[in-house]
């Protein structure tokens, strides 16, 4: 069924995504003498061991995969709590705390601290991805569609709106919250140097409370995913399987020994897939089927473009990444090499998508997508390529809205196109 999909909050999405992957990767500019240690994973089973910190008399509960040495080091990080939080003095510290971004104010309310760990500002790309997946399904129904008299079933529209909301809660607060919390745990040594006022290194939240949050968000998210499969009438629990896969990616992205974020190619692609492919597939699975190769290929192509966007966040931290042993693409290829990899991955993948849309006789959508690519090329030529370090934020703020709307245009095209008729 042809569906006109109206979206709101696009401007807000494009604005916050200029910094989203920076929050996730937590690259830091450190002195070359700085080092950090990470505990090897052992098991996901809890342990009753406990240790005491020299700076605090409180006891903390250990949970594998966090070994005794790592836990002791983590506890000792509390001594750095007195470092200043310069960005908290501009009047926005309270809002920053709720959004989970730099410059947050100190907080003692445990629920506000828990929210901060989930970094709500990073939920928005996942919510957008779910919306794009719903559009790509071609089966999302409005409560009352002013453009289509055949799409005005109020009860069906209310049900679809409810499904969409639950899918967004799954992708945002639960699974992104899980990802951000576990990432903060494994980055606690880095944060102790770079942002010692954050909840974990400052001691504002205990180890046991962090572990409890990780498990509640993970298991709660998987429970919601299975509920969506039941609601959608799936024989194969597609949403649950996607959620399990995404959770595994989240773990190996942050945790040793794989720690994908240490490798520029693997880490950046994992970011792109997490923010684009997985929520798209989730939204499409809730409202339709993932029964054609194109439904998998197009989001993966956009995830390659997402890899390019993630590279932009690496330029400013090249020295810190090198000192920490993180093999980011600017470290591996130099700034000049990485900036062309960035521009190429963003532009060429979108041109490939536009060519595909044209090949299936969707020339209008192909032209719309091409029109959205051209401004991105312009900003690459005027901002990214001349000086990616100085212009990183300005480039993303200028170019990313066009990428975001290009993803939506592609999803609308997929939902509109009659693949069965094209095969006849």
């Amino acid at each position: 069924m042809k569906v006109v999909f109206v979206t709101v909050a696009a401007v807000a999405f494009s604005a916050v995504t200029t910094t989203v992957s920076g929050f996730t990767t937590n690259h830091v500019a450190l002195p070359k003498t700085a080092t950090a240690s990470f505990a090897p994973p052992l098991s996901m089973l809890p342990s009753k061991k406990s240790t005491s910190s020299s700076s605090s008399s409180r006891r903390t509960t250990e949970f594998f995969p966090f070994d005794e040495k790592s836990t002791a080091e983590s506890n000792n990080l509390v001594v750095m709590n007195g470092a200043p939080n310069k960005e908290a003095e501009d009047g926005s510290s309270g809002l920053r705390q709720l959004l989970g971004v730099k410059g947050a104010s100190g907080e003692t309310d445990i629920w506000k601290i828990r929210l901060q760990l989930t970094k709500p500002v990073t939920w928005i790309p996942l919510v957008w991805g779910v919306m794009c997946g719903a559009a790509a399904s071609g089966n999302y129904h409005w409560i009352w569609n002013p453009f289509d008299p055949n799409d005005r079933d109020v009860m069906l529209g209310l049900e679809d709106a409810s499904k969409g909301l639950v899918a967004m809660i799954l992708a945002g607060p639960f699974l992104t919250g899980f990802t951000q919390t576990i990432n903060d745990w494994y980055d606690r040594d880095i944060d102790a140097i770079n942002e010692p006022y954050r909840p974990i290194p400052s001691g504002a939240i205990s180890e046991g409370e962090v572990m409890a949050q990780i498990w509640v968000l993970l298991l709660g998210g998987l429970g919601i995913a299975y509920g969506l499969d039941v609601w959608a009438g799936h024989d194969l629990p597609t949403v649950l399987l996607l959620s399990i896969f995404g959770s595994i990616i989240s773990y190996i992205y942050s945790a040793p020994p794989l720690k994908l974020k240490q490798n520029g190619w693997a880490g950046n692609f994992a970011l792109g897939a997490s923010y684009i492919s997985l929520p798209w597939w989730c939204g499409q699975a809730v409202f339709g089927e993932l029964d054609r190769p194109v439904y998998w290929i197009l989001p993966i192509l956009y995830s390659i473009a997402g890899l390019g966007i993630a590279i932009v966040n690496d330029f400013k931290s090249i020295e810190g990444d090198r000192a920490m042993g993180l093999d980011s693409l600017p470290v591996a290829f130099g700034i000049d090499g990485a900036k062309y990899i960035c521009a190429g991955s963003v532009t060429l993948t979108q041109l490939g998508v536009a060519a595909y849309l044209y090949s299936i006789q969707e020339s209008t959508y192909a032209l719309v997508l091409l029109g959205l690519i051209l401004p991105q090329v312009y900003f690459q030529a005027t901002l990214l390529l001349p000086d990616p370090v100085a212009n990183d934020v300005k480039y993303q703020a200028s170019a990313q809205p066009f990428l975001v709307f290009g993803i939506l245009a592609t999803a609308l095209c997929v939902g509109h196109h009659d693949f069965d008729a094209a095969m006849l």
Side-chain angles (χ1 to χ4, degrees), residues 9-19 124 128 396-397 400-402 404-405:
V11 176
F13 169 87
S14 59
V16 299
T17 50
T18 62
T19 54
I124 299 174
W128 183 271
Q396 292 203 70
Q400 223 165 292
F402 297 98
V404 166
F405 280 109

Side-chain angles (χ1 to χ4, degrees), residues 44-65:
M44 294 303 288
L45 297 176
S47 167
K48 294 183 179 179
K49 298 177 184 177
S50 62
T51 61
S52 60
S53 168
S54 60
S55 61
S56 173
S57 61
R58 64 180 175 84
R59 294 175 66 85
T60 58
T61 303
E62 289 187 29
F63 288 77
F64 289 122

Side-chain angles (χ1 to χ4, degrees), residues 203-399:
I205 185 170
S206 71
E207 177 184 325
E209 288 168 332
V210 174
M211 294 303 104
Q213 175 159 319
I214 289 172
W215 282 107
V216 167
L217 291 175
L218 174 60
L219 298 179
L222 297 182
I224 291 173
Y226 181 72
L228 281 169
D229 281 316
V230 173
W231 196 352
H234 292 161
D235 294 327
L236 179 70
T238 310
V239 180
L240 176 60
L241 292 175
L242 288 170
S243 299
I244 292 172
F245 176 73
S247 300
I248 293 172
I249 294 297
S250 296
Y251 179 77
I252 65 175
Y253 175 83
S254 298
L258 294 180
K259 202 172 180 67
L260 298 182
K261 65 193 297 180
Q262 291 183 323
N263 179 279
W265 292 110
N268 287 342
F269 184 75
L271 278 179
S274 297
Y275 280 116
I276 299 174
S277 293
L278 287 170
W280 176 318
W281 291 330
C282 173
Q284 187 161 352
V286 169
F287 295 101
E289 299 291 340
L290 293 167
D291 55 355
R292 296 179 184 278
V294 67
Y295 297 153
W296 299 92
I297 294 171
L298 290 178
I300 289 174
L301 287 176
Y302 274 115
S303 295
I304 296 173
L307 177 150
I309 294 299
I311 295 172
V312 178
N313 294 283
D314 295 341
F315 288 115
K316 62 181 176 291
S317 55
I318 183 171
E319 292 301 326
D321 287 349
R322 186 179 288 117
M324 295 296 298
L326 302 177
D327 193 23
S328 68
L329 294 183
V331 170
F333 293 93
I335 290 177
D336 286 339
K339 70 184 183 183
Y340 287 106
I341 294 173
C342 172
S345 63
V346 171
T347 303
L348 295 178
T349 51
Q350 291 181 87
L351 288 174
V353 173
Y356 169 75
L357 299 185
Y358 183 79
S359 74
I360 60 172
Q361 281 73 54
E362 294 288 357
S363 56
T364 299
Y365 283 101
L367 290 173
V368 168
L369 185 54
L370 183 61
L372 292 168
I373 294 170
L374 292 176
Q376 297 176 65
V377 174
Y378 170 78
F379 290 121
Q380 288 169 1
T382 58
L383 295 174
L384 178 67
L385 298 181
D387 193 342
V389 177
N391 297 328
D392 58 344
V393 174
K394 188 181 297 184
Y395 165 70
Q396 292 203 70
S398 302

Side-chain angles (χ1 to χ4, degrees), residues 36-88:
S37 60
F38 300 91
L42 302 176
S43 166
M44 294 303 288
L45 297 176
S47 167
K48 294 183 179 179
K49 298 177 184 177
S50 62
T51 61
S52 60
S53 168
S54 60
S55 61
S56 173
S57 61
R58 64 180 175 84
R59 294 175 66 85
T60 58
T61 303
E62 289 187 29
F63 288 77
F64 289 122
F66 316 109
D67 67 9
E68 191 168 329
K69 178 176 181 292
S70 174
T71 304
E73 290 171 350
S74 176
N75 290 339
N76 289 332
L77 297 177
V78 177
V79 300
M80 304 189 67
N81 191 30
N85 181 5
K86 296 179 181 178
E87 292 186 56

